[in-house]
Amino acid sequence: MPEDEILKQRTDKLKRLREEEGYDPFKVEKWDRKHTLGYVKEKYEYLKPDEMGEEDIETAGRIMTIRKHGKASFLDLADEYDTIQLCFQVNAMGEDQYSFFKKWVDTGDFIGIVGKPIRTRRGELSILVKEFKLLSKALRPLPEKWHGLKDTEIRYRQRYVDLIANPDIRDTFRKRAKIIRAIRDVLEKHGTIEVETPILSPIAGGANARPFITYHNALGINLYLRIATELYLKRLIVGMLGRVYEIGKNFRNEGIDIMHNPEFTALEVYWAYADYEDIMNLTEELVVAAADAVGQRKINYQGTELILEPPFRRASMKDLVKEYCGYDLSSIESDEEARAFAKKKGLEIKGNESRFVILAELFETFVEDKLIQPTFVIGHPTEISPLAKRNPENPDFTNRFELYIYGNEVANAFSELNDPLDQRERFMDQARKKEEGDEEAHVFDEDFITALEYGLPPTGGLGVGIDRLTMFLTNSRSIRDVILFPTMRPKQ
RNA sequence: GGGCCGUUAGCUCAGUUGGCAGAGCACCGGACUUUUAAUCCGGGUGUCACAGGUUCGAUCCCUGUACGGCCCA
C-alpha cells in the first residue's frame, strides 16, 4: 500500500477513534512510568514458565509488533533500552479494553500499561496486562521488522526513523554521550574550566581551512563561522583563567566524506605553565578515559584490533618519513633536492615547496595511513605550524605532536607560541601563502597579537576530534554514523 | 573536482535478451486464548528517481539531471 494511503487510512482511523470513542490519544499529557522494561527484565528473570510475579508493573513504550490470536494477543513493547512481550488477554483485561485494543491500536503506537510480570508457557518473560492506555498514535508505518532500515539516505535524513528501527544506533549515541562525559570529568578533575567562545566572529582563525561566511544585518558586516576555538581560548589564558577547555562545533567549508563533515565537534584544551609533553600525557589520559567509558581499551575497529593502552608509541615525523619512504632530511642539502625527491616519489610539485613542506607532504602520502595503532607523531616543521612554539634546539621544528589512530589524525597539540614578535612573522608568512593562492592559509589576527603582547604564559594546548574518536570507540565506519543529523544535500 | 556503483510497493529486495510489474514483511477484511519472523483464508497497494532520445512498444538500451554510496585528488 502506498505510504500516503496508509497515512490517510490511519488518519481516518484516528478521526473515528475521536468520534466513536470520544478518545483523543494526542490529548494525553503524561503517564506515570514507575518501572522501566529493564527493571522488569532484571528483577523477574527468575520466573519459571507459567509463574507470575506479585508486583504491579506500570510502564510504557512503543508497540513494535502485534501478534493477534482472537481473544489473546502478544505485543512487543519497546522503551529506550529494552523490549518485552506483553500478553493481552480478554480474561485479564476484560472485553471492553480488549476490543478497544483490537479496533484501535496499531504498531508504532505508544501505550502505557499496568500488569504483572509472568513467564509464558513458552518461556518468554512478559507482562500480563490488565489495563492499558493509548498514549499516542503513529500515523506512518514502521520500517520492516527483520531487516530494519538500511537505506543510508533515509537513515541520515530521517534519523528518527533510523533510531526507531535500529536500536544499535541508539547505543552508538549513548556511547558518544558517555565519551564526552568522561572527557569532561578528566578535565574538571585537572581544574580545567569549561568555557564558550564565539561561533560567529569577524576572523576565522586557528586552523588551515576555508570558513563559512554569513552576514549580520544589524552590523552590516560579514561574519565567519569558526574553524577552530584556538585563538579565543589562548586569549583566555592571557586573561589568567589558567586552564580552559571548550567542546563545541567547528565549521569548515570543505567536502564531505567518510572522515569529514562540514560541522564537527572538537575539544580544545589549554593549560598555562604546561608544555606539549604534559599535554601528551593528558591526551593519553583522555583517550583511555573515553575508551573505559564505553567498556574497553582493546577495541575491534572494522576488523582491526586497536589497543588504546598507554603509553602510546611516540615517533618523530622526520624518523617516520625516513623509515617509510627514505627521505632523510638531515642529508637533504637544498629545497630543490627535496622537490626532486618528492617528484621521483610521484608527488605533485608546485615548485616553491621547502624541504620542510616536502617532509610534511611525504608524511601525509607515505606514513599517515600506516599508523594504525595509536601513535604520537612529534616534531612538525615550523613552516606548517604557525601557532606552535619552536623547538629551542632546532627552530625549524616545533614542539608539536599529532595523535594518529587507524591512519587518521585524532588529536593535534603543541607548546603554544607565546612570542608576539614571532607570531607576527608567522602570520605574515601565512599571509604570503594566502596571496600565493593557498585558500586555507591562516588569517592575520591583529587582536590576537595584541593579546600576546599582554603576555601569554608558557602554555600547552590540545585539539581532539570528538567525532573521530567516537567512530573508533563505537566501531562506526563513517563519521555520519556518529553525528545524529549529518550534513546532507537537500532533496531536489 | 574525477571515476565507478546504486535509485523498482511503507521496508528489505527480486525481475524483464525491450512486450500487462514480482516476493517477503508491513497494510486492509475475516478466523483463531500461548504467539514470538504466529498460522490459515481473501485483497497488490507502483510516476520502476526525474527529463529527453531510440523504438511499433522503454522499468530495461542511449544521453542528461537529481539524490545517495564507494574510491581517488
Side-chain angles (χ1 to χ4, degrees), chain A residues 250-346:
Chain A
N250 288 341
F251 307 85
R252 297 186 181 175
N253 206 337
E254 51 198 32
I256 297 172
D257 64 30
I258 211 160
M259 293 302 294
H260 297 86
N261 195 64
E263 60 177 294
F264 62 98
T265 301
L267 160 72
E268 287 197 34
V269 185
Y270 292 85
W271 280 3
Y273 317 116
D275 69 2
Y276 79 118
E277 301 219 21
D278 298 320
I279 298 298
M280 215 179 293
N281 295 332
L282 171 65
T283 305
E284 280 174 343
E285 195 179 341
L286 289 170
V287 170
V288 165
D292 289 347
V294 299
Q296 50 192 350
R297 298 181 186 186
K298 270 189 193 173
I299 56 178
N300 174 345
Y301 185 68
Q302 305 291 301
T304 301
E305 184 179 63
L306 300 177
I307 301 169
L308 306 179
E309 193 66 58
F312 299 159
R313 178 190 180 199
R314 299 171 189 212
S316 81
M317 184 181 280
K318 270 190 287 193
D319 291 348
L320 286 167
V321 172
K322 187 172 161 189
E323 180 187 336
Y324 282 97
C325 75
Y327 179 84
D328 182 0
L329 192 71
S330 59
S331 69
I332 298 283
E333 313 235 309
S334 69
D335 294 341
E336 290 78 37
E337 189 187 338
R339 289 195 289 266
F341 184 97
K343 208 165 191 172
K344 210 175 71 197
K345 284 282 177 188

Side-chain angles (χ1 to χ4, degrees), chain A residues 2-13:
Chain A
E3 188 171 22
D4 45 337
E5 208 161 307
I6 295 177
L7 185 62
K8 187 178 172 296
Q9 223 169 51
R10 289 219 179 171
T11 308
D12 286 348
K13 192 172 186 177

Side-chain angles (χ1 to χ4, degrees), chain A residues 162-418:
Chain A
D162 187 29
L163 289 164
I164 295 169
N166 303 317
D168 292 359
I169 303 295
R170 299 207 287 265
D171 198 47
T172 295
F173 289 100
R174 286 192 192 103
K175 283 181 175 163
R176 183 182 168 115
K178 282 183 182 168
I179 288 165
I180 292 172
R181 174 82 264 147
I183 287 170
R184 285 204 164 97
D185 287 346
V186 169
L187 291 166
E188 297 288 334
K189 188 186 81 189
H190 286 295
T192 317
I193 67 159
E194 182 166 12
V195 297
E196 291 179 278
T197 63
I199 288 172
L200 288 176
S201 90
I203 294 173
N208 299 81
R210 295 172 65 185
F212 287 92
I213 307 172
T214 187
Y215 181 77
H216 189 283
N217 292 333
L219 293 179
I221 55 166
N222 280 338
L223 291 174
Y224 300 88
L225 273 64
R226 70 181 174 200
I227 55 175
T229 46
E230 173 147 2
L231 300 184
Y232 278 110
L233 292 175
K234 281 195 273 197
R235 284 172 168 95
L236 298 179
I237 306 299
V238 171
M240 301 179 73
L241 281 177
R243 290 185 170 188
V244 298
Y245 76 96
E246 179 162 11
I247 293 174
K249 288 274 179 79
N250 288 341
F251 307 85
R252 297 186 181 175
N253 206 337
E254 51 198 32
I256 297 172
D257 64 30
I258 211 160
M259 293 302 294
H260 297 86
N261 195 64
E263 60 177 294
F264 62 98
T265 301
L267 160 72
E268 287 197 34
V269 185
Y270 292 85
W271 280 3
Y273 317 116
D275 69 2
Y276 79 118
E277 301 219 21
D278 298 320
I279 298 298
M280 215 179 293
N281 295 332
L282 171 65
T283 305
E284 280 174 343
E285 195 179 341
L286 289 170
V287 170
V288 165
D292 289 347
V294 299
Q296 50 192 350
R297 298 181 186 186
K298 270 189 193 173
I299 56 178
N300 174 345
Y301 185 68
Q302 305 291 301
T304 301
E305 184 179 63
L306 300 177
I307 301 169
L308 306 179
E309 193 66 58
F312 299 159
R313 178 190 180 199
R314 299 171 189 212
S316 81
M317 184 181 280
K318 270 190 287 193
D319 291 348
L320 286 167
V321 172
K322 187 172 161 189
E323 180 187 336
Y324 282 97
C325 75
Y327 179 84
D328 182 0
L329 192 71
S330 59
S331 69
I332 298 283
E333 313 235 309
S334 69
D335 294 341
E336 290 78 37
E337 189 187 338
R339 289 195 289 266
F341 184 97
K343 208 165 191 172
K344 210 175 71 197
K345 284 282 177 188
L347 263 60
E348 232 172 86
I349 295 301
K350 279 186 295 183
N352 55 354
E353 294 92 343
S354 70
R355 67 194 81 179
F356 303 112
V357 168
I358 295 292
L359 177 77
E361 288 184 357
L362 289 168
F363 174 79
E364 264 182 48
T365 308
F366 295 106
V367 184
E368 241 181 54
D369 59 351
K370 314 286 193 308
L371 303 177
I372 301 303
Q373 297 305 324
T375 302
F376 287 122
V377 176
I378 300 167
H380 299 55
T382 304
E383 193 177 341
I384 61 158
S385 313
L387 302 168
K389 190 172 261 188
R390 293 175 198 267
N391 183 323
E393 272 131 54
N394 189 349
D396 288 330
F397 288 84
T398 55
N399 285 337
R400 172 178 176 188
F401 71 83
E402 288 178 309
L403 174 63
Y404 282 83
I405 299 177
Y406 200 73
N408 289 283
E409 181 199 342
V410 172
N412 178 26
F414 33 86
S415 294
E416 302 297 331
L417 174 59
N418 60 348

